[in-house]
Coordinates of all heavy atoms in Angstrom, one line a residue:
F202 N 0.8 -1.2 0.0 CA 0.0 0.0 0.0 C 0.9 1.3 0.0 O 2.1 1.2 0.3 CB -0.9 0.0 1.2 CG -0.2 0.4 2.5 CD1 -0.3 1.7 3.0 CD2 0.5 -0.5 3.2 CE1 0.3 2.1 4.1 CE2 1.2 -0.1 4.4 CZ 1.1 1.2 4.8
G203 N 0.3 2.3 -0.4 CA 0.9 3.6 -0.4 C -0.2 4.7 -0.4 O -1.3 4.4 -0.7
F204 N 0.2 5.9 -0.1 CA -0.7 7.1 -0.3 C 0.1 8.1 -1.1 O 1.1 8.5 -0.7 CB -1.1 7.6 1.1 CG -1.9 6.7 1.9 CD1 -1.4 5.7 2.7 CD2 -3.3 6.7 1.7 CE1 -2.2 4.8 3.4 CE2 -4.1 5.9 2.4 CZ -3.6 4.9 3.3
E205 N -0.6 8.5 -2.2 CA 0.1 9.3 -3.2 C -0.7 10.5 -3.5 O -1.9 10.5 -3.4 CB 0.4 8.5 -4.5 CG 1.2 7.3 -4.3 CD 1.5 6.5 -5.5 OE1 0.6 6.6 -6.4 OE2 2.5 5.9 -5.7
R206 N 0.0 11.5 -4.0 CA -0.7 12.7 -4.6 C 0.0 13.0 -5.9 O 1.2 13.2 -6.0 CB -0.6 13.9 -3.7 CG -1.2 15.2 -4.3 CD -1.2 16.3 -3.4 NE -1.7 17.5 -4.0 CZ -3.0 17.9 -4.1 NH1 -3.9 17.1 -3.5 NH2 -3.3 19.0 -4.6
N207 N -0.8 13.1 -7.0 CA -0.3 13.4 -8.3 C -0.6 14.9 -8.6 O -1.8 15.3 -8.6 CB -0.9 12.5 -9.4 CG -0.4 11.1 -9.2 OD1 0.8 10.8 -9.0 ND2 -1.3 10.2 -9.4
G208 N 0.4 15.7 -8.8 CA 0.2 17.1 -9.0 C -0.4 17.4 -10.3 O -0.2 16.7 -11.3
T209 N -1.1 18.5 -10.4 CA -1.7 19.0 -11.6 C -0.7 19.9 -12.4 O 0.4 20.2 -11.9 CB -3.0 19.8 -11.3 OG1 -2.6 21.0 -10.6 CG2 -4.0 19.0 -10.5
Q210 N -1.1 20.2 -13.6 CA -0.2 21.0 -14.4 C 0.1 22.4 -13.8 O 1.2 22.9 -13.8 CB -0.8 21.2 -15.8 CG 0.1 21.9 -16.8 CD -0.4 21.9 -18.2 OE1 -1.5 21.3 -18.5 NE2 0.3 22.4 -19.1
A211 N -1.0 23.0 -13.2 CA -0.8 24.3 -12.5 C 0.1 24.1 -11.3 O 1.0 25.0 -11.1 CB -2.2 24.8 -12.1
E212 N -0.1 23.1 -10.5 CA 0.8 22.8 -9.4 C 2.2 22.6 -9.8 O 3.2 23.1 -9.2 CB 0.3 21.6 -8.6 CG -1.1 21.9 -7.9 CD -1.7 20.7 -7.3 OE1 -1.2 19.6 -7.7 OE2 -2.6 20.8 -6.5
W213 N 2.4 21.8 -10.9 CA 3.8 21.6 -11.4 C 4.4 22.9 -11.8 O 5.6 23.1 -11.5 CB 3.7 20.6 -12.5 CG 5.0 20.4 -13.3 CD1 5.1 20.4 -14.6 CD2 6.3 20.1 -12.8 NE1 6.4 20.2 -15.0 CE2 7.1 20.0 -13.9 CE3 6.8 19.9 -11.5 CZ2 8.5 19.7 -13.7 CZ3 8.1 19.6 -11.4 CH2 9.0 19.5 -12.5
A214 N 3.7 23.8 -12.5 CA 4.3 25.0 -12.9 C 4.8 25.9 -11.7 O 5.7 26.6 -11.8 CB 3.3 25.8 -13.7
L215 N 4.1 25.7 -10.6 CA 4.4 26.5 -9.4 C 5.5 25.9 -8.6 O 6.4 26.5 -8.1 CB 3.2 26.8 -8.6 CG 2.1 27.7 -9.2 CD1 0.8 27.6 -8.4 CD2 2.6 29.1 -9.3
L216 N 5.4 24.6 -8.4 CA 6.3 23.9 -7.5 C 7.7 23.8 -8.0 O 8.7 23.6 -7.2 CB 5.8 22.5 -7.2 CG 4.5 22.4 -6.4 CD1 4.0 21.0 -6.3 CD2 4.8 22.9 -4.9
H217 N 7.9 24.0 -9.3 CA 9.3 23.9 -9.8 C 9.9 25.4 -9.7 O 11.1 25.6 -10.1 CB 9.4 23.4 -11.2 CG 9.2 24.4 -12.3 ND1 7.9 24.8 -12.6 CD2 10.0 25.1 -13.1 CE1 8.0 25.7 -13.6 NE2 9.3 25.9 -13.9
T218 N 9.1 26.3 -9.2 CA 9.6 27.7 -9.0 C 10.3 27.9 -7.7 O 9.7 27.5 -6.6 CB 8.5 28.7 -9.2 OG1 7.8 28.4 -10.5 CG2 9.0 30.1 -9.2
R219 N 11.4 28.4 -7.7 CA 12.1 28.6 -6.4 C 11.4 29.6 -5.5 O 10.9 30.7 -6.0 CB 13.6 29.1 -6.6 CG 14.3 29.4 -5.4 CD 15.8 29.6 -5.6 NE 16.5 30.1 -4.4 CZ 16.8 29.3 -3.3 NH1 16.4 28.0 -3.4 NH2 17.4 29.7 -2.3
G220 N 11.2 29.3 -4.3 CA 10.5 30.2 -3.3 C 9.1 29.7 -3.0 O 8.5 30.1 -2.0
V221 N 8.6 28.7 -3.8 CA 7.2 28.2 -3.6 C 7.4 27.0 -2.6 O 8.1 26.0 -2.9 CB 6.6 27.8 -4.9 CG1 5.2 27.1 -4.6 CG2 6.4 29.0 -5.8
V222 N 6.6 27.1 -1.5 CA 6.7 26.0 -0.5 C 5.6 24.9 -0.9 O 5.9 23.7 -0.8 CB 6.4 26.5 0.9 CG1 6.4 25.4 1.9 CG2 7.5 27.6 1.2
S223 N 4.4 25.3 -1.2 CA 3.4 24.4 -1.6 C 2.4 25.1 -2.5 O 2.3 26.3 -2.5 CB 2.6 23.9 -0.3 OG 1.9 25.0 0.3
A224 N 1.7 24.2 -3.2 CA 0.6 24.7 -4.2 C -0.4 23.7 -4.3 O -0.1 22.5 -4.5 CB 1.2 25.1 -5.5
Q225 N -1.7 24.0 -4.2 CA -2.8 23.1 -4.3 C -3.9 23.8 -5.2 O -4.4 24.8 -4.9 CB -3.4 22.7 -3.0 CG -4.4 21.6 -3.1 CD -4.8 21.1 -1.7 OE1 -4.4 21.6 -0.7 NE2 -5.6 20.0 -1.7
A226 N -4.2 23.1 -6.4 CA -5.1 23.6 -7.3 C -6.5 23.0 -7.1 O -6.6 21.8 -6.8 CB -4.7 23.4 -8.7
H227 N -7.5 23.9 -7.2 CA -8.9 23.4 -7.1 C -9.6 23.9 -8.4 O -10.0 25.0 -8.6 CB -9.7 24.1 -5.9 CG -8.9 23.9 -4.6 ND1 -9.1 22.8 -3.8 CD2 -8.0 24.7 -4.0 CE1 -8.3 22.9 -2.7 NE2 -7.7 24.1 -2.8
Y228 N -9.7 22.9 -9.4 CA -10.1 23.3 -10.7 C -11.6 23.6 -10.7 O -12.1 24.5 -11.5 CB -9.9 22.1 -11.7 CG -8.4 22.1 -12.1 CD1 -7.5 21.2 -11.5 CD2 -7.9 22.9 -13.1 CE1 -6.2 21.2 -11.8 CE2 -6.6 22.9 -13.4 CZ -5.7 22.0 -12.8 OH -4.4 22.0 -13.2
W229 N -12.4 22.9 -9.9 CA -13.8 23.2 -9.9 C -14.1 24.7 -9.4 O -15.0 25.4 -9.9 CB -14.5 22.2 -9.0 CG -16.0 22.4 -8.9 CD1 -16.7 23.1 -7.9 CD2 -17.0 22.0 -9.8 NE1 -18.1 23.1 -8.2 CE2 -18.3 22.4 -9.4 CE3 -16.9 21.3 -11.1 CZ2 -19.4 22.2 -10.1 CZ3 -18.1 21.1 -11.7 CH2 -19.3 21.5 -11.2
R230 N -13.3 25.1 -8.4 CA -13.5 26.4 -7.9 C -12.7 27.5 -8.6 O -12.9 28.7 -8.4 CB -13.1 26.5 -6.4 CG -13.8 25.5 -5.5 CD -13.3 25.5 -4.1 NE -14.0 24.6 -3.2 CZ -13.6 24.3 -2.0 NH1 -12.5 25.0 -1.4 NH2 -14.3 23.5 -1.2
G231 N -11.8 27.0 -9.5 CA -11.0 28.0 -10.2 C -10.0 28.7 -9.4 O -9.8 29.9 -9.5
R232 N -9.5 28.0 -8.4 CA -8.6 28.6 -7.4 C -7.3 27.8 -7.2 O -7.4 26.5 -7.3 CB -9.4 28.7 -6.1 CG -8.6 29.4 -5.0 CD -9.3 29.2 -3.6 NE -10.7 29.7 -3.7 CZ -11.6 29.5 -2.7 NH1 -11.3 28.8 -1.7 NH2 -12.8 30.0 -2.9
V233 N -6.2 28.4 -6.9 CA -5.0 27.7 -6.5 C -4.5 28.4 -5.3 O -4.4 29.6 -5.2 CB -4.0 27.8 -7.7 CG1 -3.6 29.2 -8.1 CG2 -2.7 27.0 -7.2
T234 N -4.2 27.6 -4.3 CA -3.7 28.1 -3.0 C -2.1 27.9 -3.0 O -1.7 26.8 -3.1 CB -4.3 27.3 -1.8 OG1 -5.7 27.4 -1.9 CG2 -3.8 27.8 -0.5
I235 N -1.4 29.0 -2.8 CA 0.1 28.9 -2.9 C 0.7 29.4 -1.6 O 0.3 30.5 -1.0 CB 0.6 29.8 -4.0 CG1 -0.2 29.5 -5.3 CG2 2.1 29.7 -4.2 CD1 0.1 30.5 -6.4
T236 N 1.6 28.7 -1.0 CA 2.4 29.1 0.1 C 3.8 29.4 -0.4 O 4.5 28.5 -1.0 CB 2.5 28.1 1.2 OG1 1.1 27.7 1.6 CG2 3.3 28.6 2.4
Y237 N 4.3 30.6 -0.3 CA 5.6 31.0 -0.9 C 6.4 32.0 0.0 O 5.8 32.6 0.9 CB 5.4 31.6 -2.3 CG 4.7 32.9 -2.3 CD1 5.4 34.1 -2.4 CD2 3.3 32.9 -2.3 CE1 4.7 35.3 -2.5 CE2 2.6 34.1 -2.4 CZ 3.3 35.3 -2.4 OH 2.7 36.5 -2.5
D238 N 7.6 32.1 -0.3 CA 8.5 33.1 0.4 C 8.6 34.3 -0.4 O 9.2 34.4 -1.5 CB 9.9 32.4 0.6 CG 10.8 33.3 1.5 OD1 10.4 34.5 1.8 OD2 11.8 32.8 2.0
P239 N 8.0 35.5 0.1 CA 8.0 36.7 -0.7 C 9.4 37.3 -0.8 O 9.6 38.2 -1.7 CB 7.1 37.6 0.1 CG 7.1 37.1 1.5 CD 7.3 35.6 1.4
N240 N 10.4 36.8 0.0 CA 11.7 37.3 -0.2 C 12.5 36.7 -1.3 O 13.5 37.2 -1.8 CB 12.5 37.1 1.1 CG 12.0 37.8 2.3 OD1 11.6 39.0 2.2 ND2 11.9 37.2 3.5
I241 N 11.9 35.6 -1.9 CA 12.6 34.9 -3.0 C 11.8 35.1 -4.3 O 12.4 35.3 -5.3 CB 12.7 33.4 -2.6 CG1 13.5 33.2 -1.4 CG2 13.3 32.6 -3.8 CD1 13.7 31.8 -0.9
V242 N 10.5 35.0 -4.2 CA 9.6 35.0 -5.4 C 8.5 36.0 -5.2 O 8.0 36.2 -4.1 CB 9.1 33.6 -5.8 CG1 8.2 33.1 -4.7 CG2 8.3 33.6 -7.1
T243 N 8.2 36.8 -6.3 CA 7.1 37.8 -6.2 C 5.8 37.2 -6.7 O 5.7 36.2 -7.4 CB 7.5 39.0 -7.0 OG1 7.6 38.7 -8.4 CG2 8.9 39.6 -6.6
E244 N 4.7 38.0 -6.4 CA 3.4 37.5 -6.8 C 3.3 37.6 -8.3 O 2.6 36.8 -9.0 CB 2.3 38.4 -6.1 CG 0.9 38.0 -6.5 CD -0.1 38.8 -5.7 OE1 0.2 39.3 -4.6 OE2 -1.2 39.0 -6.2
D245 N 3.9 38.7 -8.9 CA 3.9 38.8 -10.4 C 4.6 37.6 -11.1 O 4.1 37.1 -12.1 CB 4.6 40.1 -10.8 CG 3.8 41.3 -10.4 OD1 2.6 41.2 -10.2 OD2 4.5 42.4 -10.3
T246 N 5.6 37.1 -10.5 CA 6.3 35.9 -11.0 C 5.4 34.7 -11.0 O 5.3 33.9 -11.9 CB 7.6 35.6 -10.3 OG1 8.5 36.7 -10.4 CG2 8.3 34.4 -10.9
L247 N 4.7 34.5 -9.9 CA 3.7 33.4 -9.8 C 2.6 33.5 -10.8 O 2.2 32.5 -11.4 CB 3.2 33.3 -8.3 CG 4.2 33.1 -7.2 CD1 3.5 33.1 -5.9 CD2 4.9 31.8 -7.4
R248 N 2.1 34.7 -11.0 CA 1.0 34.9 -12.0 C 1.5 34.6 -13.4 O 0.8 34.0 -14.2 CB 0.6 36.4 -11.9 CG -0.2 36.8 -10.7 CD -0.7 38.2 -10.7 NE -1.5 38.5 -9.5 CZ -2.8 38.4 -9.5 NH1 -3.4 38.0 -10.5 NH2 -3.5 38.7 -8.4
Q249 N 2.8 34.9 -13.6 CA 3.3 34.7 -15.0 C 3.5 33.2 -15.2 O 3.3 32.6 -16.2 CB 4.7 35.4 -15.1 CG 5.3 35.3 -16.5 CD 4.4 35.8 -17.6 OE1 3.8 36.9 -17.4 NE2 4.2 35.1 -18.7

């Protein structure tokens, strides 16, 4: 047995960015929750 999580395309785009701690996408709600370090990455970079 195991417990796994497969990341979505939006999560993958964010998680490979330096400064992002976690990212969880909710496609039904059209929302993505991001935890990041503002000293390393800016909000504009995440939007891009």
Side-chain angles (χ1 to χ4, degrees):
F202 78 98
F204 291 89
E205 302 180 328
R206 177 178 176 84
N207 293 317
T209 62
Q210 188 173 358
E212 291 171 344
W213 169 230
L215 293 167
L216 290 172
H217 86 282
T218 304
R219 177 167 173 76
V221 175
V222 178
S223 65
Q225 187 171 6
H227 308 274
Y228 283 98
W229 180 262
R230 301 175 182 175
R232 179 191 305 168
V233 57
T234 303
I235 310 170
T236 303
Y237 65 96
D238 186 346
N240 296 321
I241 300 177
V242 62
T243 64
E244 184 175 333
D245 291 338
T246 301
L247 298 178
R248 291 178 176 274
Q249 186 60 46

